[in-house]
Structures are given as structure tokens and as C-alpha cells.
């Protein structure tokens, strides 16, 4: 048996389907879904499963690193020989580990997770040891709903650079659930580039458990989804770990994109550095909900969260909400949120140097995006993240 | 250098302008010919900075009367970027910080825009690097500042050097420097002034807007104008600046009172 197989998923699928029947669709009475465009969620839930991979062209696979394609239909490890540092998880271990991190992060029963479990046909489960080569996971399902499920056990002191790319077009939806367990002193640099043409939908849960002295750095660049919902859930099981979350969410037209992050420190001396940037154009709606939980045992936690929002049109809308639950008394937790428009003084400064109003606005937007995009793992360059984001903005 | 037959670059006639319906400029008249250096002095609120912003085309300032001709054409009809491409340059009193936009990239885009307007070839990334390093010498600026975001985290002096660097790259015909001396220590002032002197020539002109005489010790003006209540109240040679240094601006109030303006 390999780490990518259907067998261990059968009971998970069963439970997922039962849960979906029991739960029904989320509704506005639920705080987490209050602002969601439920009509689009309903459309997504009704999509048939995708039967074929997408035909979006991909850049060449990386020279230094491994690309795996997750199309929801085929086994991503079929015909792949894994390099040193990466190995498939044996079935017994997979069965034991699958869902564990979701459970610890408190999102095992979230609707998008149940949807993913009900519809996933494969799970990619890998153990990461030592200095593993960079890993690129391309999620590229075709028309319909594509569900992809990944589990990574990053062992003590192991390091990994992971880039996930999700591209979609037309009436399709991508459901993704990732579970990561980071052993002590393990390091994961994680990039997520998710871009679509304004029609497709994207639901992603990224659940990460961190042992002490591990480091997790997530950079997400998400743009162009009719309905998008990204949920990074991080648990520092014993504190003393480093978490860095940087997000760029870009919307235009009638798009809606929500980022619901949650970070919990179940031990002392944990660190969090979080910045979420949102750029909303057209009549789009961008949502950020950033929960940070610092219970009594999490003394000397040092957490900072910043939400910066740029409204590019008068009809665009931003909802941003920090949610800090702090019980420990010896902690440093800072948070802030800004909502602004392109600054007239900045535009004038550039125009006074001969740069046209359109180019000046584009230069300012590029600047705002590059801050985050530059933090993506090196593998991302071939995907031209800046161009994708800028093309997605009509102005 | 005053040459009565030199090209008339800037011709301001009875210029009135307002910001948020508050009249600021109330009939400015000023002529600048090629080769000349003009100093515009005056107290805070006299309209000096507004004049510079109106000439550069800041959208927050509305022209309510009068005319400005630049090399014979109506300057006020042009967008700010068109003015810049034709050689009008405003050195900002408070250069704007633009996070995330690389200074080098900004300077390259601006330089190429001006070059295209002058019928020159655009410089590619490598050619521009050589060009900008050469021009850095004009203001004795550390190349490290090219790698940073535009003006972000620059000290006051570094921002002003960056302004003069832009002037050196854009080679303006009509440079208007708004309080370029403010916030500079004496060494930085000398560097910036030397840069301005080096760039001044027979075919361009400079208008220095300043509070103080000390910039004029470094850059010798051909004309000194004193602004008050939105107009040019008095014009003289460089000796007028020295006189102001000694007597201050108290006479301005008396003169305005006589004219019934204050």
C-alpha cells in the first residue's frame, strides 16, 4: 500500500457524507458564515464531482524539487519515485494520523472539511525527513468539484519548502484540506498561490500542529475566486514555536473572498507574526477574521496581527475583525487594522514625475502586492504570481 | 544669468487658485526666462507652496483665474504627468514615502517616460543602472538607497537628495524646488545646493521657494520675489534676500495694510 490510496478514506468518506446530511448547508445564523454569499456556496455544493483534470497549461516542473499533481481523479503518486527525504506514509499510520491535526485544531467538523471528506477520492500522505527537496503540489481539477486531501508529517528537525498552486476556470470548485504535523525544531516554509478567473470557487482548510521550537511560515496569495474561503488553523501544542502568517487577498468584480485564520498557543513563549493584506476592487467583498487564543498556560506569548485593506473602488467592501482571546496575563499581543484607498499624494508624486495616472496606480498596487508575494517560496517565481494578481485587477 | 533675449519659459499672469474653496493665490504675476534663477520668499501661508503645487498640477488645487504659459503653451490644460514630460519639475517639500515600490524601478520608469518625450531611446535595466550610478554623484548619495522603497525610512536629508537625484535624471527645463532647504543640516544643504548649481544651465531655469537666506548663500538668485497674501509683493535682486534677513517680514504687514489687503 502507498501513502496515496482510497482504502483509508472509505470510513472518512462515510462520516463526511453523513455529517453533510446532518448539518445541511451553513446559514447566516452561524457567526462564521454570517457574511458568506450562501447562494454561491449552495451552487458549489451541488456541483458534480470533476471527472477529468483541468487543461490549464502549467510551467515546467522545477529542476530542483518534486512536482505532484493533484487532480482529484488520479493517484498523485502513480508512477512517481519519491526523492530522499520524502516517503509515503504506511496505511496503519495514515489511518491513525488522518484527521488528528484537524481535531486538535478544532475544525474536524467544519462544513468545508466534511465536504472535502465526503468527496475526496485520494489522500496524499507523506513523511518528511531531514532536508527534503522542495515540494510543489499543483491542484488542478477540471469542470465540477475537485477535492484534494493532503497529510504531511514533518519529522523532528526536518525542513521543507512547500508550494501549493491552485488554478481554476469556469464553473468549477476546488475543495482542499491540508494537515501538517511539525515535529520539534522542524521548519516548514509554505506558499499557497490560488488564482482563478472570477467564476470558480475555492474552499481550503490548512491545519498545522507545531511542536516546540518548530517554525511555520505561511504565505498565501489568493485572487480571482467567485467564492473563496481560506482557513489557516495553527496550534502550537506546547508553545515555544514560531508562526508567521502572511496573506494577500485580491478581489474584483462580484467576487467574495474570506480568510478565517486561527492561532492557538497551548503552552508558553510562542510567537506569532501575522499580516493580512486585502485589495478589493469593483463590487467585490473581502473578509478577514483573525482569531488568536492565548489561554492561561500560554504565558510570555508574543503575538502581532495586522490587517491592511485597500479599497480600490467605492462599491468594494471590506469586513475585518480581529478576535483575541487572552487569558494569560504576561503576554504581548498587538493587533491593528487599516482600511484606506490609494493615496492621492502618492499618486500625485508619481504623476509629477511623468508617470501616467493608470501606470501610477498600477505601480502602487504592485508595491502593495509585492510585499507579500516576495515572501512566497522560490518555487513560485515560475508561476508569475505578480502578473496573475495584476491581471486579475481590472484597473 | 539674466539675458533679456533668452527664451521665456514661464509666464504667469494674474494667477488665482483655491484649495477647498479657500482662495490662496490672489493674482500672481511672474516671468522666468531660460538661464535664470528665481527665489520666492515669504512667510508661512503666503502662498509659496500653493504656487508650486498649482504649477505642477496637484489635483487638490483649483485654478480660479489667470493664466500660466509654459514655452508659449497653456500649462494649466495639461495633466501633471504631461507637464513633467515637457520638463516641468517640482522638488517636493515633503517627498512622499511609497512602501513596496522600489526606488530604482520608480526612477527608471520616470526617466524613461521623460526620455521618450524628448525623443530619446528608453534605457534598459542595465543601461539605467549605469546611468543612475553616474547621476548619484551629483548628490553624493549612497547607492543603497536605490534598493529601498521610494523614500521609505529615508531621513529628511536623504529624501531631499533623492529629489535632486530625480531632477538630475529628468533634466527638467523648469525646476521648481519647494523648500528644498528645510530639514537639512549645513553639510547636506551644501551638497544639495551644489547639485542644483551643477544642473543649472543656459537652457533651463530654477525657481527656489525658501524661507531663509541660507540657501541663497549657496545658490545665487538673479531675482528675489517676496510673496504675501497670495501675491508677489516685491521683486528685487539678490540684495532683497539679504535685506529680508536683516529686517524680517514685518514691513510686509505695513505694506499690505497700505494696500488694504491684510
Amino acid at each position: 500500500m502507498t501513502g496515496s490510496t482510497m482504502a483509508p478514506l472509505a470510513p472518512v468518506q462515510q462520516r463526511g457524507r453523513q455529517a453533510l446530511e446532518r448539518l445541511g448547508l451553513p446559514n447566516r445564523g452561524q457567526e462564521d458564515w454570517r457574511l458568506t454569499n450562501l447562494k454561491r456556496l449552495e451552487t458549489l455544493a451541488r456541483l458534480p464531482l470533476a471527472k477529468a483534470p483541468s487543461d490549464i497549461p502549467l510551467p515546467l516542473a522545477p529542476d530542483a524539487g518534486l512536482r505532484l499533481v493533484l487532480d482529484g481523479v488520479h493517484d498523485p503518486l502513480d508512477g512517481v519515485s519519491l526523492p530522499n527525504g520524502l516517503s509515503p506514509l504506511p496505511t496503519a499510520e495514515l489511518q491513525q494520523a488522518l484527521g488528528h491535526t484537524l481535531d486538535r485544531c478544532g475544525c474536524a467538523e467544519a462544513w468545508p472539511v466534511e465536504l472535502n471528506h465526503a468527496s475526496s477520492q485520494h489522500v496524499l500522505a507523506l513523511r518528511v525527513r531531514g532536508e527534503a527537496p522542495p515540494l510543489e503540489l499543483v491542484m488542478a481539477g477540471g469542470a465540477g468539484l475537485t477535492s484534494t486531501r493532503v497529510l504531511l508529517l514533518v519529522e523532528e528537525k526536518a525542513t521543507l519548502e512547500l508550494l501549493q498552486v491552485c488554478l481554476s476556470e469556469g464553473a468549477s470548485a476546488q475543495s482542499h484540506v491540508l494537515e501538517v504535523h511539525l515535529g520539534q525544531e522542524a521548519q516548514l516554509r509554505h506558499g499557497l498561490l490560488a488564482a482563478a478567473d472570477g467564476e470558480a470557487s475555492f474552499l481550503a482548510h490548512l491545519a498545522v500542529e507545531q511542536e516546540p521550537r518548530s517554525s511555520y511560515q505561511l504565505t498565501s496569495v489568493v485572487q480571482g475566486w467567485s467564492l473563496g474561503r481560506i482557513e489557516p488553523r495553527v496550534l502550537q501544542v506546547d508553545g515555544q514555536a514560531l508562526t508567521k502568517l502572511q496573506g494577500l487577498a485580491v478581489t474584483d468584480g462580484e467576487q467574495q473572498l474570506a480568510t478565517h485564520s486561527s492561532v492557538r498557543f497551548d503552552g508558553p513563549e510562542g510567537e506569532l507574526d501575522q499580516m493580512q493584506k486585502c485589495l478589493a476592487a469593483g463590487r467585490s467583498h473581502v473578509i478577514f477574521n483573525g482569531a488568536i487564543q492565548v489561554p492561561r498556560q500560554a504565558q510570555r506569548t508574543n503575538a502581532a496581527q495586522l490587517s491592511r485593506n485597500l479599497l480600490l473602488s467605492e462599491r468594494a467592501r471590506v469586513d475585518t475583525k480581529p478576535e483575541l482571546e487572552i487569558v494569560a496575563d504576561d503576554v504581548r499581543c498587538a493587533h491593528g487594522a487599516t482600511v484606506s484607498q490609494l493615496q492621492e499624494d502618492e499618486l500625485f508624486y508619481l504623476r509629477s514625475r511623468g508617470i501616467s495616472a493608470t501606470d501610477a496606480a498600477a505601480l502602487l498596487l504592485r508595491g502593495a502586492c509585492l510585499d507579500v508575494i516576495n515572501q512566497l517560496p522560490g518555487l513560485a517565481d515560475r508561476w508569475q504570481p505578480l502578473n496573475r494578481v495584476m491581471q486579475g485587477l481590472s484597473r | 544669468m539674466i539675458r533679456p533675449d533668452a527664451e521665456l519659459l514661464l509666464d504667469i499672469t494674474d494667477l488665482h487658485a483655491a484649495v477647498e474653496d479657500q482662495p490662496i493665490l490672489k493674482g500672481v504675476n511672474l516671468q522666468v526666462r531660460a538661464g535664470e534663477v528665481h527665489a520666492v520668499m515669504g512667510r508661512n501661508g503666503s502662498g509659496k507652496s500653493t504656487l508650486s503645487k498649482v504649477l505642477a498640477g496637484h489635483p487638490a488645487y483649483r485654478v480660479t483665474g489667470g493664466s500660466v504659459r509654459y514655452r508659449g503653451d497653456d500649462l494649466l490644460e495639461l495633466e501633471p504627468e504631461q507637464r513633467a514630460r515637457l520638463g516641468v519639475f517640482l522638488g517636493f517639500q515633503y517627498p512622499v514615502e511609497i512602501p513596496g515600490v522600489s526606488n530604482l524601478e520608480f526612477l527608471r520608469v520616470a526617466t524613461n517616460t521623460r526620455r521618450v518625450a524628448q525623443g530619446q531611446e528608453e534605457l534598459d535595466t542595465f543601461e539605467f543602472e549605469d546611468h543612475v550610478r553616474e547621476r548619484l554623484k551629483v548628490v553624493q548619495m549612497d547607492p543603497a538607497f536605490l534598493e529601498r522603497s521610494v523614500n521609505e525610512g529615508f531621513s529628511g536629508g536623504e529624501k531631499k537628495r533623492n529629489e535632486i537625484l530625480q531632477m538630475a535624471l529628468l533634466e527638467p527645463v523648469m525646476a521648481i524646488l519647494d523648500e528644498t532647504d528645510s530639514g537639512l543640516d549645513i553639510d547636506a544643504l551644501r551638497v544639495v545646493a551644489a547639485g542644483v548649481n551643477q544642473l543649472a544651465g543656459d537652457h533651463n531655469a530654477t525657481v527656489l521657494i525658501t524661507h531663509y537666506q541660507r540657501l541663497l548663500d549657496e545658490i545665487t538668485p538673479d531675482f528675489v520675489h517676496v510673496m504675501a497674501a497670495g501675491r508677489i509683493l516685491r521683486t528685487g535682486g539678490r540684495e532683497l534676500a539679504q535685506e529680508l534677513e536683516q529686517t524680517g517680514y514685518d514691513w510686509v504687514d505695513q505694506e499690505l495694510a497700505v494696500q488694504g489687503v491684510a
Side-chain angles (χ1 to χ4, degrees), chain A residues 277 308 343-360 362-371 374, chain B residues 56-60 79-81 84-85 89-92 95-101 105-106 109-110 113 150-151 163 166 170:
Chain A
K277 271 197 172 185
R308 298 184 62 183
Q343 298 292 314
E344 186 178 61
D345 277 346
E346 293 181 2
L347 280 171
F348 175 64
Y349 189 69
L350 296 175
R351 293 178 72 193
S352 79
R353 298 303 181 244
I355 299 168
S356 73
T358 317
D359 289 350
L363 208 54
L364 292 179
L365 288 182
R366 280 166 53 107
C369 296
L370 269 178
D371 248 18
N374 281 342
Chain B
H58 195 295
E79 295 293 330
E81 55 267 36
R85 289 174 202 165
F89 177 86
L90 170 63
F92 281 59
V96 180
E97 296 192 13
I98 310 182
V101 175
E105 163 95 350
F106 158 63
V109 173
T113 315
V150 178
N151 293 324
E163 291 296 291
Q166 291 165 45
L170 298 177

Side-chain angles (χ1 to χ4, degrees), chain B:
Chain B
M1 193 212 315
I2 305 174
R3 284 180 295 130
D5 58 339
E7 181 189 2
L8 181 60
L9 296 179
L10 194 66
D11 188 4
I12 304 175
T13 310
D14 196 29
L15 183 64
H16 287 68
V19 60
E20 287 173 354
D21 291 330
Q22 175 78 32
I24 310 276
L25 299 185
K26 299 168 185 167
V28 175
N29 292 291
L30 177 66
Q31 289 197 331
V32 180
R33 290 181 185 276
E36 294 175 351
V37 176
H38 290 242
V40 175
M41 303 182 75
R43 284 190 296 211
N44 279 337
S46 58
K48 308 185 301 284
S49 282
T50 297
L51 176 62
S52 71
K53 295 240 170 63
V54 168
L55 293 176
H58 195 295
Y61 296 79
R62 196 162 50 83
V63 173
T64 50
S67 69
V68 180
R69 303 202 79 83
Y70 170 69
R71 309 186 92 171
D73 294 327
D74 184 355
L75 184 72
L76 302 176
E77 269 198 346
L78 304 174
E79 295 293 330
E81 55 267 36
Q82 293 171 311
R83 302 180 195 197
R85 289 174 202 165
L86 292 176
V88 176
F89 177 86
L90 170 63
F92 281 59
Q93 181 178 6
Y94 303 109
V96 180
E97 296 192 13
I98 310 182
V101 175
S102 125
N103 199 28
L104 186 65
E105 163 95 350
F106 158 63
L107 295 171
R108 190 175 61 81
V109 173
T111 303
N112 277 335
T113 315
R114 171 87 173 114
R115 286 179 69 89
V116 168
Q118 287 174 297
Q120 293 172 308
E121 292 265 309
E122 284 192 39
L123 299 175
D124 67 27
T125 316
F126 302 107
E127 292 166 334
F128 182 72
E129 283 243 24
D130 294 343
H131 181 59
V132 75
R133 275 167 203 279
E134 183 59 36
R135 302 267 80 183
L136 278 174
K137 293 176 194 157
V138 173
V139 281
Q140 299 175 26
M141 201 165 126
D142 184 343
F145 288 103
L146 298 174
E147 307 304 328
R148 312 236 306 243
S149 292
V150 178
N151 293 324
E152 193 183 34
F154 288 26
S155 72
E158 288 152 359
K159 283 181 181 167
K160 296 299 172 77
R161 281 179 202 225
N162 204 32
E163 291 296 291
I164 304 306
L165 173 63
Q166 291 165 45
M167 181 172 155
L169 288 165
L170 298 177
E171 299 175 356
V173 177
M174 184 70 248
I176 302 143
L177 304 179
D178 188 6
E179 309 250 357
T180 293
D181 49 342
S182 69
L184 294 186
D185 61 34
I186 192 70
D187 293 329
L189 179 75
R190 289 209 171 112
V191 170
V192 165
V196 173
N197 282 328
Q198 195 182 328
L199 298 170
D202 284 351
H203 301 289
N204 57 31
T206 311
V207 173
L208 301 168
I209 289 172
T210 180
H211 247 31
Y212 303 108
Q213 161 68 22
R214 64 173 198 166
L215 178 65
L216 306 181
D217 289 339
E218 306 292 332
I219 307 172
T220 310
D222 300 302
F223 297 95
V224 174
H225 311 276
V226 179
M227 269 191 89
R231 291 186 299 123
I232 288 176
L233 200 61
R234 194 191 285 186
T235 292
R238 70 194 64 159
E239 68 289 345
L240 178 55
Q242 284 151 3
E243 188 188 323
L244 281 171
E245 186 76 357
Q246 283 161 12
T247 60
Y249 287 102
D250 286 347
W251 59 271
V252 167
D253 293 328
Q254 295 159 14
E255 196 154 333
L256 287 175
V258 169
Q259 297 183 9
V261 179

Side-chain angles (χ1 to χ4, degrees), chain A residues 136-154:
Chain A
E136 182 175 275
L137 299 181
V138 181
M139 287 109 79
L145 170 68
T146 301
S147 292
T148 49
R149 181 76 168 87
V150 175
L151 169 65
L152 297 177
L153 299 186
V154 185

